[in-house]
PDB file of all heavy atoms in Angstrom:
ATOM      1  N   VAL A 387      14.824 -43.591  -8.118  1.00 95.00           N
ATOM      2  CA  VAL A 387      13.561 -43.866  -8.787  1.00 95.00           C
ATOM      3  C   VAL A 387      13.125 -45.314  -8.385  1.00 95.00           C
ATOM      4  O   VAL A 387      13.902 -46.234  -8.496  1.00 95.00           O
ATOM      5  CB  VAL A 387      13.704 -43.709 -10.312  1.00 95.00           C
ATOM      6  CG1 VAL A 387      12.434 -44.076 -11.007  1.00 95.00           C
ATOM      7  CG2 VAL A 387      14.219 -42.314 -10.665  1.00 95.00           C
ATOM      8  N   ARG A 388      11.815 -45.374  -8.045  1.00 95.00           N
ATOM      9  CA  ARG A 388      11.286 -46.672  -7.654  1.00 95.00           C
ATOM     10  C   ARG A 388      10.184 -47.051  -8.623  1.00 95.00           C
ATOM     11  O   ARG A 388       9.317 -46.295  -8.935  1.00 95.00           O
ATOM     12  CB  ARG A 388      10.693 -46.595  -6.251  1.00 95.00           C
ATOM     13  CG  ARG A 388      10.078 -47.858  -5.705  1.00 95.00           C
ATOM     14  CD  ARG A 388       9.653 -47.676  -4.253  1.00 95.00           C
ATOM     15  NE  ARG A 388       8.955 -48.859  -3.755  1.00 95.00           N
ATOM     16  CZ  ARG A 388       7.606 -49.001  -3.749  1.00 95.00           C
ATOM     17  NH1 ARG A 388       6.880 -48.066  -4.253  1.00 95.00           N
ATOM     18  NH2 ARG A 388       7.051 -50.059  -3.260  1.00 95.00           N
ATOM     19  N   ASP A 389      10.260 -48.310  -9.077  1.00 94.00           N
ATOM     20  CA  ASP A 389       9.217 -48.839  -9.929  1.00 94.00           C
ATOM     21  C   ASP A 389       8.074 -49.383  -9.060  1.00 94.00           C
ATOM     22  O   ASP A 389       8.321 -50.331  -8.241  1.00 94.00           O
ATOM     23  CB  ASP A 389       9.765 -49.977 -10.818  1.00 94.00           C
ATOM     24  CG  ASP A 389       8.772 -50.403 -11.894  1.00 94.00           C
ATOM     25  OD1 ASP A 389       7.580 -50.399 -11.629  1.00 94.00           O
ATOM     26  OD2 ASP A 389       9.245 -50.754 -13.001  1.00 94.00           O
ATOM     27  N   ILE A 390       6.909 -48.778  -9.129  1.00 92.00           N
ATOM     28  CA  ILE A 390       5.831 -49.156  -8.215  1.00 92.00           C
ATOM     29  C   ILE A 390       5.217 -50.534  -8.542  1.00 92.00           C
ATOM     30  O   ILE A 390       4.486 -51.061  -7.711  1.00 92.00           O
ATOM     31  CB  ILE A 390       4.755 -48.086  -8.161  1.00 92.00           C
ATOM     32  CG1 ILE A 390       4.123 -47.915  -9.509  1.00 92.00           C
ATOM     33  CG2 ILE A 390       5.252 -46.755  -7.691  1.00 92.00           C
ATOM     34  CD1 ILE A 390       2.917 -46.912  -9.529  1.00 92.00           C
ATOM     35  N   LYS A 391       5.553 -51.031  -9.705  1.00 91.00           N
ATOM     36  CA  LYS A 391       5.047 -52.378 -10.003  1.00 91.00           C
ATOM     37  C   LYS A 391       5.946 -53.469  -9.416  1.00 91.00           C
ATOM     38  O   LYS A 391       5.497 -54.375  -8.788  1.00 91.00           O
ATOM     39  CB  LYS A 391       4.972 -52.547 -11.545  1.00 91.00           C
ATOM     40  CG  LYS A 391       3.752 -51.817 -12.197  1.00 91.00           C
ATOM     41  CD  LYS A 391       3.669 -52.196 -13.671  1.00 91.00           C
ATOM     42  CE  LYS A 391       2.383 -51.609 -14.289  1.00 91.00           C
ATOM     43  NZ  LYS A 391       2.294 -52.008 -15.709  1.00 91.00           N
ATOM     44  N   SER A 392       7.231 -53.304  -9.677  1.00 92.00           N
ATOM     45  CA  SER A 392       8.183 -54.312  -9.220  1.00 92.00           C
ATOM     46  C   SER A 392       8.766 -54.008  -7.894  1.00 92.00           C
ATOM     47  O   SER A 392       9.278 -54.872  -7.141  1.00 92.00           O
ATOM     48  CB  SER A 392       9.321 -54.482 -10.262  1.00 92.00           C
ATOM     49  OG  SER A 392      10.041 -53.279 -10.350  1.00 92.00           O
ATOM     50  N   GLY A 393       8.740 -52.719  -7.460  1.00 90.00           N
ATOM     51  CA  GLY A 393       9.315 -52.313  -6.184  1.00 90.00           C
ATOM     52  C   GLY A 393      10.825 -52.075  -6.223  1.00 90.00           C
ATOM     53  O   GLY A 393      11.422 -51.727  -5.234  1.00 90.00           O
ATOM     54  N   SER A 394      11.440 -52.282  -7.371  1.00 93.00           N
ATOM     55  CA  SER A 394      12.892 -52.097  -7.496  1.00 93.00           C
ATOM     56  C   SER A 394      13.248 -50.589  -7.486  1.00 93.00           C
ATOM     57  O   SER A 394      12.463 -49.758  -7.971  1.00 93.00           O
ATOM     58  CB  SER A 394      13.453 -52.753  -8.754  1.00 93.00           C
ATOM     59  OG  SER A 394      12.856 -52.144  -9.885  1.00 93.00           O
ATOM     60  N   VAL A 395      14.381 -50.311  -6.893  1.00 93.00           N
ATOM     61  CA  VAL A 395      14.815 -48.913  -6.780  1.00 93.00           C
ATOM     62  C   VAL A 395      16.143 -48.828  -7.509  1.00 93.00           C
ATOM     63  O   VAL A 395      17.042 -49.670  -7.346  1.00 93.00           O
ATOM     64  CB  VAL A 395      14.945 -48.470  -5.296  1.00 93.00           C
ATOM     65  CG1 VAL A 395      15.415 -47.040  -5.223  1.00 93.00           C
ATOM     66  CG2 VAL A 395      13.627 -48.703  -4.581  1.00 93.00           C
ATOM     67  N   ARG A 396      16.315 -47.749  -8.258  1.00 93.00           N
ATOM     68  CA  ARG A 396      17.545 -47.532  -8.967  1.00 93.00           C
ATOM     69  C   ARG A 396      17.910 -46.038  -8.896  1.00 93.00           C
ATOM     70  O   ARG A 396      17.048 -45.188  -8.609  1.00 93.00           O
ATOM     71  CB  ARG A 396      17.467 -47.972 -10.427  1.00 93.00           C
ATOM     72  CG  ARG A 396      16.427 -47.234 -11.263  1.00 93.00           C
ATOM     73  CD  ARG A 396      16.239 -47.882 -12.603  1.00 93.00           C
ATOM     74  NE  ARG A 396      15.192 -47.160 -13.326  1.00 93.00           N
ATOM     75  CZ  ARG A 396      15.453 -46.192 -14.244  1.00 93.00           C
ATOM     76  NH1 ARG A 396      16.724 -45.761 -14.427  1.00 93.00           N
ATOM     77  NH2 ARG A 396      14.471 -45.591 -14.919  1.00 93.00           N
ATOM     78  N   ALA A 397      19.155 -45.759  -9.167  1.00 93.00           N
ATOM     79  CA  ALA A 397      19.642 -44.382  -9.140  1.00 93.00           C
ATOM     80  C   ALA A 397      19.842 -43.940 -10.575  1.00 93.00           C
ATOM     81  O   ALA A 397      20.518 -44.603 -11.348  1.00 93.00           O
ATOM     82  CB  ALA A 397      20.952 -44.246  -8.336  1.00 93.00           C
ATOM     83  N   VAL A 398      19.245 -42.773 -10.882  1.00 94.00           N
ATOM     84  CA  VAL A 398      19.431 -42.200 -12.220  1.00 94.00           C
ATOM     85  C   VAL A 398      20.369 -41.011 -12.100  1.00 94.00           C
ATOM     86  O   VAL A 398      20.108 -40.118 -11.232  1.00 94.00           O
ATOM     87  CB  VAL A 398      18.069 -41.751 -12.806  1.00 94.00           C
ATOM     88  CG1 VAL A 398      18.275 -41.125 -14.164  1.00 94.00           C
ATOM     89  CG2 VAL A 398      17.106 -42.939 -12.885  1.00 94.00           C
ATOM     90  N   LYS A 399      21.449 -41.001 -12.881  1.00 92.00           N
ATOM     91  CA  LYS A 399      22.478 -39.987 -12.711  1.00 92.00           C
ATOM     92  C   LYS A 399      22.787 -39.371 -14.026  1.00 92.00           C
ATOM     93  O   LYS A 399      22.798 -40.013 -15.069  1.00 92.00           O
ATOM     94  CB  LYS A 399      23.743 -40.591 -12.063  1.00 92.00           C
ATOM     95  CG  LYS A 399      23.501 -41.396 -10.798  1.00 92.00           C
ATOM     96  CD  LYS A 399      24.767 -42.164 -10.354  1.00 92.00           C
ATOM     97  CE  LYS A 399      24.509 -43.048  -9.199  1.00 92.00           C
ATOM     98  NZ  LYS A 399      25.699 -43.832  -8.845  1.00 92.00           N
ATOM     99  N   GLY A 400      23.175 -38.084 -13.984  1.00 91.00           N
ATOM    100  CA  GLY A 400      23.765 -37.366 -15.111  1.00 91.00           C
ATOM    101  C   GLY A 400      22.962 -37.305 -16.374  1.00 91.00           C
ATOM    102  O   GLY A 400      23.520 -37.444 -17.466  1.00 91.00           O
TER     103      GLY A 400
END
Side-chain angles (χ1 to χ4, degrees):
V387 178
R388 178 175 177 267
D389 190 325
I390 61 176
K391 283 187 174 181
S392 63
S394 62
V395 181
R396 61 191 179 93
V398 179
K399 307 172 186 177

